[in-house]
Amino acid sequence: MRRLHESRVLNMNRLTKLFDKSQIVLRNINSELKCHSLYITVNSAMALTQVSSNKCCDGYQKVFEHDSSELKCKMKFAIYLPPKAESSKCPVLYWLSGLTCTEQNFITKAGSQQAASEHGIIIVAPDTSPRGCNIEGEDESWDFGTGAGFYVNATQEPWKTNYRMYSYVTEELPRLVNSNFPADPEKMSISGHSMGGHGALICALKNPGKYKSVSAFAPICNPIQCAWGQKAFSGYLGPDKSIWESYDATVLAESYSGPELDILIDQGRDDQFLSASQLLPDNLIAACSKKKIPVVFRLQQGYDHSYYFIFSFINDHIKHHAKYLNA
C-alpha cells in the first residue's frame, strides 16, 4: 500500500509540473497573439498589396496598391528599389506624372531604372489622381478629373473629399514609403513632367527644406495664366484667386524665402504646348531671377512633349538629384 501511495504522489507531482508548464506555454502563446494583434492594428492603415514585381537593373520595379486615407479610394504607386536597398536605407526621388498618366507611364517609358540603380536611389511614382470615386463629371475631359488631379487640395464640391493630391504626395505617400521600405526619411527629392512638373515645383517651393532638390520636364510654370491651369483651378479651388496663387510655381517663387533650392528644368523647343502658351517657363525664370533662386533651364532643340524627350535626359536629372541626395 505504501508503494502504491508513493506512486500516486509521484504521478500527481508529474501532472502538476506538466500543468504548470502548459500554463506557461499558454501564457506565452497568448502574449505573442496579443503582440501580433497589436502589430496588425497599428499597421492596418498602412497595409500594402503588391500588384507586380519585376527584376530590373539588379533591383526591383514594383507596383503596390493601398487604401488612401487622404483620397478615400484605392491608389496605386510604383517604386523602384535599387540593389543598395537590400542592405541599407536609400534616398528617395518622387516622380509626378502629367495629364492622363497613371503610375505606369514613367516606369515603362522613361528608362530611369539604370541610373537609379547606379546611384542607389529609390524612385516612387504615384498615380496622377484619385480613381473610381464615382464623382459626376470626373471622366468627361482629359484635362480635368480622372488623370488630372493637378496636385492640389480641392476646396470645392464635389471634389474636395477625394481630390487631395497635394497632401497625398507631400504627406501620406512619404509616410507609407518610409514605413514599408528601406527609405531614408531625411533625404527626399522631387521631379515631374508637365502637370507633374508643376506639382514637383510647388511641392518644393511650398515646403522649404523638405526636398533636397527639384527638377522638371516641360512643367506648367504659371498655371493661373494658362488655359489648363485656369480650368483646373476654377473647378477644384473655386473663384478665389489667392488660393490659386498658393499652387502656382511662379507666384510661389516670387515669395520664396527658404534654403537655397537648385532647380533643373528641361524644355523641348518643339513642344506644341510651349508654343500654345500652356507652360510659360519664362515667367518662372524671371521670378527666380528676382529672388536669386538658382535655375538651370535647358531649351532642347527638336524635342517635343513626349516620353521620348524624358527618356533622352532622365539620366541628367537623376544625376542632378544624386548630387544632393548622396551628399
Side-chain angles (χ1 to χ4, degrees), residues 267-270 299-303 313:
Q267 172 64 60
R269 185 184 289 274
D270 290 357
L299 192 60
Q300 304 289 4
Q301 182 68 39
Y303 286 92
F313 300 103

Side-chain angles (χ1 to χ4, degrees), residues 275-291:
S275 58
S277 298
Q278 294 280 27
L279 307 177
L280 305 173
D282 291 346
N283 296 357
L284 176 63
I285 293 167
C288 288
S289 179
K290 287 180 183 177
K291 295 294 291 187

Side-chain angles (χ1 to χ4, degrees), residues 95-101 105 109 142 150 192-198 216-221 226 228 265-281 299-313:
W95 170 271
L96 307 183
S97 291
L99 289 165
T100 75
C101 290
N105 297 72
K109 295 180 179 181
W142 65 276
F150 264 85
H193 170 230
S194 194
M195 177 186 73
H198 142 77
F217 289 83
I220 303 172
C221 295
C226 75
W228 278 343
I265 296 175
D266 270 311
Q267 172 64 60
R269 185 184 289 274
D270 290 357
D271 187 328
Q272 66 272 36
F273 300 115
L274 176 66
S275 58
S277 298
Q278 294 280 27
L279 307 177
L280 305 173
L299 192 60
Q300 304 289 4
Q301 182 68 39
Y303 286 92
D304 57 20
H305 200 74
S306 71
Y307 263 88
Y308 296 111
F309 167 52
I310 297 170
F311 180 91
S312 300
F313 300 103

Side-chain angles (χ1 to χ4, degrees), residues 89-92 178 183-189 209-212 324-325:
K89 288 189 174 183
C90 298
V92 183
N178 294 338
D184 185 340
E186 300 301 316
K187 292 186 175 182
M188 297 192 305
S189 288
K210 186 179 184 76
Y211 301 96
K212 298 295 183 183
Y324 298 95
L325 291 173

Side-chain angles (χ1 to χ4, degrees), residues 115 119 121 314-324:
H119 292 285
I121 294 174
I314 190 64
N315 288 356
D316 290 351
H317 283 244
I318 292 175
K319 186 177 180 180
H320 164 78
H321 293 295
K323 180 171 64 174
Y324 298 95

Side-chain angles (χ1 to χ4, degrees), residues 177-241:
V177 169
N178 294 338
S179 298
N180 289 280
F181 303 98
D184 185 340
E186 300 301 316
K187 292 186 175 182
M188 297 192 305
S189 288
I190 194 163
S191 185
H193 170 230
S194 194
M195 177 186 73
H198 142 77
L201 290 169
I202 64 165
C203 287
L205 291 167
K206 284 168 72 69
N207 297 276
K210 186 179 184 76
Y211 301 96
K212 298 295 183 183
S213 52
V214 60
S215 74
F217 289 83
I220 303 172
C221 295
N222 197 186
I224 65 174
Q225 298 294 340
C226 75
W228 278 343
Q230 290 164 358
K231 178 178 180 178
F233 287 5
S234 294
Y236 294 136
L237 305 175
D240 187 345
K241 297 291 178 69

Side-chain angles (χ1 to χ4, degrees), residues 124-153:
V124 177
D127 202 347
T128 56
S129 77
R131 300 275 170 173
C133 298
N134 298 317
I135 299 173
E136 185 178 354
E138 67 180 340
D139 296 321
E140 289 182 359
S141 58
W142 65 276
D143 55 358
F144 184 79
T146 302
F150 264 85
Y151 304 104
V152 302
N153 285 346

Side-chain angles (χ1 to χ4, degrees), residues 28-46:
N28 287 340
I29 291 172
N30 190 45
S31 176
E32 288 177 10
L33 284 172
K34 283 181 179 178
C35 288
H36 189 59
S37 175
L38 178 61
Y39 177 82
I40 291 171
T41 301
V42 169
N43 289 278
S44 61
M46 292 193 169

